[in-house]
Amino acid sequence: DTEVRYRLESSPQTKEKFPYDFCLEIAYRLHGSCLDVIWEVSNPSEEDIHFQIGAHPAFFYPDYDPQSSGRGRFTFDKTEGLECIRIKEKGCVDAVAKYPLDVPADGLLPIESDTFDAIDTIMLQDSQIGMVVMYRADRTPWLKMTFDAPVVGIWSPPGKVAPFICLEPWYGRCDR
């Protein structure tokens, strides 16, 4: 009644694209107003496997107004010393250059309709944060996501007036 679990196991068809034996289970568990998303990757063989996994969940801005440039605000469980890396070209990341993520003194990072036009993705790696809270325009909390993934991407389509933002926990990231 409160949980669903999906399983994908290696097969001759998966080995055409990914040459390792594996078992991937993804579960969704509902309790109260919380949803847990659980990823379990197991290796049934003696051979080492290499993989990356991540999610691309999109969340509607609660006060979306296409005429307004404001989209909301975010806070993290850490607000000082944060550094981003960025996509540079053809979907590859510039892992050498690190950019400070300057969070205002009140801890609330504003997201505007053009925030992602120049940077594409706010990408934080090395387990810098483990929580993102999304706020309404009136600064009341709307959504809280906690995770233990080492990388998180925050993204909305550049150059568009999108009604959503993606909060993406990743185990791995695009190549350099």
Side-chain angles (χ1 to χ4, degrees), residues 64-123:
Y64 178 71
D65 175 0
Q67 305 306 316
S68 171
S69 64
R71 292 292 174 262
R73 297 178 189 282
F74 291 89
T75 192
F76 311 111
D77 53 336
K78 179 182 175 187
T79 57
E80 295 179 6
L82 296 174
E83 292 182 320
C84 301
I85 56 174
R86 297 186 180 162
I87 306 285
K88 61 179 181 178
E89 59 181 286
K90 298 182 182 178
C92 294
V93 76
D94 181 357
V96 176
K98 296 190 177 173
Y99 303 89
L101 181 61
D102 295 320
V103 179
D106 66 0
L108 297 174
L109 180 69
I111 301 294
E112 305 290 329
S113 59
D114 62 353
T115 296
F116 300 96
D117 291 354
I119 61 172
D120 188 271
T121 303
I122 297 171
M123 195 179 315

Side-chain angles (χ1 to χ4, degrees), residues 24-38:
L24 168 63
E25 289 191 22
I26 300 178
Y28 297 89
R29 182 180 306 139
L30 186 62
H31 52 95
S33 63
C34 296
L35 176 67
D36 293 333
V37 180
I38 303 148

Side-chain angles (χ1 to χ4, degrees), residues 59-72 111-114 134-137 156 160-165:
F59 300 97
F60 184 73
Y61 290 116
D63 303 310
Y64 178 71
D65 175 0
Q67 305 306 316
S68 171
S69 64
R71 292 292 174 262
I111 301 294
E112 305 290 329
S113 59
D114 62 353
M134 182 176 177
Y135 289 82
R136 294 176 172 274
S156 196
K160 301 195 186 245
V161 184
F164 64 88
I165 192 160

